[in-house]
């Protein structure tokens, strides 16, 4: 669309800032959940990308544990999912909600477990979308190096999936 990254980041940051000022925790949580639902689009793109089942099984069976690049990928994935600020956020959410011991705490734990599970499923959907599009060796587009910018993500998914 041609919006400079500085402008789009400022607009999104400002929007998120104002969402957090809109009231209590439950209201902010609902709005964040609605925004987060857009990530479910990756389940559709994953199905449309149709990565090779044979290559998926090979990748699961032949994990290159000793490969340094793979080790860096694992470390980056863990770092992206288990960030320290998430622990602080979870703690403040429990306090802000006024969660008490017993059933309320069990519910909070249950929500956290499901949130972590769904987050991992979305991450897998993103990786399988990439596997079926950018890194699909049968239909490799030499002009695309990967998902380095939003424009590359958009153009790659559009050209491969016809979206």
């Amino acid at each position: 669309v041609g919006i400079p990254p500085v402008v789009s980041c400022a607009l999104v940051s400002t929007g998120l800032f104002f969402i957090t000022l809109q009231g209590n925790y439950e209201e902010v949580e609902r709005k964040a959940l609605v925004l987060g639902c857009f990530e479910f689009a990756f389940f559709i793109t994953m199905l449309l990308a149709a990565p090779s089942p044979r290559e998926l099984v090979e990748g699961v069976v032949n994990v290159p544990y000793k490969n340094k690049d793979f080790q860096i990928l694992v470390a980056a994935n863990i770092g992206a999912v288990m960030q320290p600020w998430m622990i602080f956020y979870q703690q403040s959410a429990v306090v802000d909600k006024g969660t008490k011991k017993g059933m309320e705490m069990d519910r909070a734990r249950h929500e956290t477990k499901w949130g972590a599970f769904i987050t991992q499923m979305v991450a897998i959907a993103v990786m399988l979308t990439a596997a079926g599009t950018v890194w699909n060796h049968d239909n490799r587009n030499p002009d695309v190096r990967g998902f380095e910018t939003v424009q590359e993500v958009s153009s790659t998914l559009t050209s491969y999936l016809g979206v």
Side-chain angles (χ1 to χ4, degrees), residues 81-102:
V81 174
M82 298 178 189
Q83 297 173 355
W85 67 265
M86 293 173 120
I87 296 167
F88 299 128
Y89 171 79
Q90 187 66 27
Q91 181 179 4
S92 69
V94 167
V95 171
D96 197 26
K97 281 184 173 181
T99 305
K100 307 279 189 252
K101 288 184 179 180

Side-chain angles (χ1 to χ4, degrees), residues 23-103:
N24 62 22
Y25 178 82
E26 285 82 16
E27 290 177 35
V28 173
E29 182 180 46
R30 272 193 296 273
K31 291 173 184 172
L33 287 171
V34 168
L35 290 173
C37 284
F38 287 104
E39 292 184 0
F40 287 115
F42 281 107
F43 290 107
I44 297 168
T45 61
M46 173 189 72
L47 295 173
L48 293 172
S52 163
R54 182 185 54 77
E55 289 181 4
L56 286 173
V57 171
E58 282 179 19
V60 170
V61 172
N62 301 318
V63 180
Y65 294 111
K66 295 182 180 182
N67 181 310
K68 185 173 179 153
D69 290 336
F70 179 77
Q71 292 171 355
I72 291 171
L73 176 65
V74 169
N77 205 351
I78 291 170
V81 174
M82 298 178 189
Q83 297 173 355
W85 67 265
M86 293 173 120
I87 296 167
F88 299 128
Y89 171 79
Q90 187 66 27
Q91 181 179 4
S92 69
V94 167
V95 171
D96 197 26
K97 281 184 173 181
T99 305
K100 307 279 189 252
K101 288 184 179 180
M103 290 296 287

Side-chain angles (χ1 to χ4, degrees), residues 98-136:
T99 305
K100 307 279 189 252
K101 288 184 179 180
M103 290 296 287
E104 286 184 27
M105 191 61 75
D106 289 342
R107 181 174 177 223
R109 287 185 183 118
H110 182 75
E111 288 176 359
T112 300
K113 288 175 189 173
W114 271 106
F117 176 76
I118 292 169
T119 299
Q120 289 304 303
M121 294 299 103
V122 169
I124 289 169
V126 169
M127 287 188 276
L128 292 178
T129 297
T133 56
V134 175
W135 291 284
N136 181 342

